Amino acid sequence: MRALVVYCHPVPESFCASIRDSAVEVLKARGWEVRLLDLYAENFNPVMGCDERRSYNDQAPQDPALKPHFELLNWAEAILFVYPTWWYGLPAMLKGWLDRVWATDVAFKLPAGKGRIKSLMTHVTKVGVITTCGAPTWWSVVVGQPGRKTLLRGMRALCATRCRTFFLAHYLMDSSTPGSRAAFLAKVRAKLERF
């Protein structure tokens, strides 16, 4: 399998970095080819400009900085998102990456007139999400888990028909302990062994 790990956290020593490292280690040990996309490390620009938005429905974005991202999407058979949940959703950097990279003629084709969009991502057969969240589980559910729905409903809808998914979250991250973090990393490893 070819796995793209999309990592989004601004702090190099964050717990999310430990999750990222564990995930990459497990996938590589299983013989997967892994490519890591660290959005903050590469200083990805999440802002869609005026001209890009005006032509969004007509063609893929023309910004040359996006070309390597398009190639990664085309290469991947599995995508694993690792990020912190902020205000119940995706960090702005990650949302901007989805806006700019999962684009017309990259992730989908728009129909002429009425009709359904055509997916260009059917080669992706697995999507996983591993996140941290300051809120408790019950409150995240009450709020509706927008980040989870964006990735595992919205983006997954463009992937293979039988695309397998999973979601793991370390809730109450702000009051986490070394023990809770170690237990969560063990859960991450176990989940990725079966992914």
Side-chain angles (χ1 to χ4, degrees), residues 77 124-128 156-165:
E77 296 172 303
V124 175
T125 60
K126 298 174 190 277
V127 177
R156 183 250 176 256
L158 292 173
C159 299
T161 303
R162 292 196 168 102
C163 180
R164 292 178 52 208
T165 65

Side-chain angles (χ1 to χ4, degrees), residues 45-125:
N45 179 5
V47 179
M48 182 184 294
C50 179
D51 290 339
E52 188 174 321
R53 180 59 217 161
R54 283 185 174 142
S55 63
Y56 187 84
N57 291 347
D58 302 322
Q59 65 183 5
Q62 301 302 299
D63 182 346
L66 297 178
K67 188 174 183 218
H69 297 262
F70 300 156
E71 291 168 353
L72 284 172
L73 274 191
N74 191 43
W75 170 86
E77 296 172 303
I79 302 175
L80 178 63
F81 295 94
V82 179
Y83 64 91
T85 295
W86 291 337
W87 287 108
Y88 316 108
L90 307 173
M93 176 77 79
L94 181 53
K95 178 61 170 67
W97 183 78
L98 296 174
D99 290 343
R100 297 192 70 208
V101 175
W102 288 60
T104 306
D105 295 336
V106 178
F108 60 88
K109 281 195 170 295
L110 289 173
K114 293 183 179 179
R116 300 177 77 171
I117 67 171
K118 178 186 176 197
S119 172
L120 301 177
M121 299 292 293
T122 56
H123 55 281
V124 175
T125 60

